[in-house]
Amino acid sequence: MAVWLLISSMAPVGANGEGPLPQPREVGAHAYAWIGPYGPPTAENHGFRMNLGFVVGNEAVAVIDSGYGPRTAEAMIRQIRQITDQRIR
């Protein structure tokens, strides 16, 4: 329920579709991660400096940390949707 509330209240990212995250890396069978850069948040990294991830299961996607704002969560959803159409939990 909390994830749905977060998703439904998100602001759009930007008209150009670019967001604060690099493309996720596949780090294991059905497991993906966004690996954050070392160092402080900057304009270039859009404040992204953490590790986030998700696992694609048989019935849903388990998100591991949704970041620290709607822009990050929206970018995560867009990129997850490029990999799977499973429900996000």
Side-chain angles (χ1 to χ4, degrees), residues 4 13-14 30 37 40 42 50-52 56 61 63 74 79 82:
W4 175 248
V13 172
H30 312 286
T42 65
M50 67 201 81
N51 298 326
L52 310 170
V56 179
V61 175
V63 173
E74 176 68 23
Q79 291 180 4
Q82 293 173 3

Side-chain angles (χ1 to χ4, degrees), residues 24-63:
R25 297 184 207 172
E26 189 168 5
V27 295
H30 312 286
Y32 298 82
W34 292 276
I35 309 298
Y38 292 110
T42 65
E44 291 79 26
N45 67 22
H46 302 277
F48 172 64
R49 56 183 293 251
M50 67 201 81
N51 298 326
L52 310 170
F54 64 98
V55 178
V56 179
N58 292 330
E59 298 179 18
V61 175
V63 173

Side-chain angles (χ1 to χ4, degrees), residues 7-20 70-75 78:
I7 292 168
S8 65
S9 67
M10 286 187 251
V13 172
N16 63 6
E18 292 189 21
R71 185 173 178 177
T72 303
E74 176 68 23
R78 274 197 330 274

